[in-house]
Amino acid sequence: MRIENDENKRILDDFRDYLLIDRQLEEGTVERHILEIKRLFKNSDFNPLQAERSDIRRYLMRFKDLSPYSYANILKALRIFYRDYLGKPEVIQGFKFPSRPYKLVKIPPKKDLKEFYSWLKEPLAKAMFLIYATTGLRRKEVLSLKIGDIDFERRMIIPRGGSRTKKTWITFYNYEAEEALKECLGSFSNLKGEEKLFPFGEHYFRNRCKQFERERGVKITPQVLREWFACEMGRLGVPDRYVDAFCGRVPRSVLARHYTDFSPEKLKEIYDKANLKVLS
């Protein structure tokens, strides 16, 4: 017998607060966990609050043919709900995450990026493309950028926020992106700090990427551009610890954490010396 709807709602609201406040998770992660627990409440043939390991095993059996990534997302939500939120680790312990097949990262050659740039029609899309390709920022970081996050004089970006698992750092964009921004935005002096740099949702750029892939057979996405940036900066001689800094990844080694100069001045010197170019 499932718990009543009013009780479902109360628990889900409290679970959402727990994820946001106690665990400090990002909104997107919180919503994914909430959706999975809603599905548990709706589709289980047992009372989720009185579940035993055999109930969870039977429930997970329904999803065994999903992709490893989808199955892992379900198990993550169940684990945090039972082990951490309800304090019932015995219900969920022992269930293993599926092994995920290694996916070889395919970095597109520069000619593919130039072809995509030429194919794009709107100045806004061209500017977004070059910001993705020359900063190393994540998709959501670019979409959430505000005018106040950008030092136009130094071509420097300081992304806001970050999370417990995804850090942010200072990064830069090149002269090609600067020209594209001027074409798109006009005079920088007339912009207001709290205005979004790109006032469109993620579908705007994603739809153009999908259409290009359908027409030309070349896959370009924000993640592909982030990977291209990291690979190209390494090819240009930028040390890994600085590539990690531009991409918002915390340096792994103790030496890099404590003895490397990550000041804006040093990072700009390294970025400019690399002379990153996308279109030439």
Side-chain angles (χ1 to χ4, degrees), residues 9 13 19 38 54 65 80 83 85 92 109 112 138 178 181 183 202 205 212 248 260 264 275 277:
K9 186 177 186 307
D13 287 345
L19 296 174
K38 280 184 178 179
S54 58
D65 293 329
I80 197 171
R83 183 191 65 188
Y85 175 67
I92 200 67
D112 287 349
R138 302 175 181 92
E178 181 179 44
L181 284 176
E183 176 75 16
E202 61 179 282
F205 191 73
F212 182 73
T260 304
N275 195 28
K277 294 181 180 178

Side-chain angles (χ1 to χ4, degrees), residues 176-203:
E176 296 168 327
E178 181 179 44
E179 290 303 312
L181 284 176
K182 288 179 180 178
E183 176 75 16
C184 174
L185 302 174
S187 174
F188 297 149
S189 61
N190 296 328
L191 303 173
K192 297 179 180 179
E194 289 303 308
E195 290 180 351
K196 291 191 70 173
L197 179 64
F198 300 121
F200 291 93
E202 61 179 282
H203 294 294

Side-chain angles (χ1 to χ4, degrees), residues 128 132 139-145 196 198 200-202:
M128 289 184 74
Y132 277 123
R139 173 179 55 84
K140 288 187 176 180
E141 288 171 343
V142 169
L143 293 173
S144 64
L145 283 176
K196 291 191 70 173
F198 300 121
F200 291 93
E202 61 179 282

Side-chain angles (χ1 to χ4, degrees), residues 2 6-7 21 31-32 66 69 75 92 107 112 135 137 143 174 197 213 218 222 245 264:
R2 300 193 195 101
D6 287 346
E7 183 68 359
I21 305 304
E31 291 309 312
R32 285 195 296 273
L66 294 181
Y69 302 96
L75 186 53
I92 200 67
I107 306 298
D112 287 349
T135 63
L137 291 176
L143 293 173
N174 72 355
L197 179 64
E213 183 175 4
V218 177

